[in-house]
Amino acid sequence: MLRVIGLLLLIPLFDMVLLVVVANWIGIVPSVALVVLTALVGMLLVRAEGRHTLRRIQQKLSTGRLPEDELIDGALLIAAGAMLLTPGLVTDAIGLLLTLPPTRYPVRVAVRKFVVTPYVDAKTGGIYTGQVYTGGFPNPDQGSSDTYDMDDDEYDVSRGSGSEN
């Protein structure tokens, strides 16, 4: 988790350094215009892709299928919009990569593998991925018998525990 936070803190630093380098190379006004232009073009792309994704969600729901990929795409488009609204060339580049479908596909696969599946697996106790223990008693060293000897003192049916009345 600290690596992710560190990476998120390094992105604005890279943005500032790249913006200063570009401003020294092409000038201040053209570099600001470049940032604004990339943000506007990116927002138009996000809007168009968002409409397309919403249409695919509605089509899948109308046929009774779950829109798994489309929901992940929607979340990635929201992240792309946030990146594009943040001034800077690095965030604009990341936002544009998340907006375009060919580059969004590998990100969607990674999000499903490293975020969605572990979360759903933790919430369902392993049933989602099939990593649930179903083979009988978990400790095979106790013997092969499935029955236990209990004295009357150890278990009381009316109380449901091993304590005495």
Side-chain angles (χ1 to χ4, degrees), residues 54-116:
L54 184 60
R55 192 176 319 113
R56 287 194 339 243
I57 288 173
Q58 290 172 343
Q59 287 173 351
K60 280 209 172 181
L61 287 176
S62 68
T63 60
R65 294 180 293 161
L66 290 176
E68 298 169 352
D69 291 340
E70 290 76 12
L71 290 176
I72 295 173
D73 279 348
L76 291 175
L77 287 172
I78 290 172
M83 292 283 193
L84 288 167
L85 286 176
T86 304
L89 296 174
V90 174
T91 54
D92 286 348
I94 294 170
L96 286 173
L97 287 175
L98 290 177
T99 302
L100 301 173
T103 56
R104 195 172 53 230
Y105 176 77
V107 176
R108 180 184 347 138
V109 170
V111 165
R112 175 177 283 146
K113 182 178 181 181
F114 296 113
V115 177
V116 175

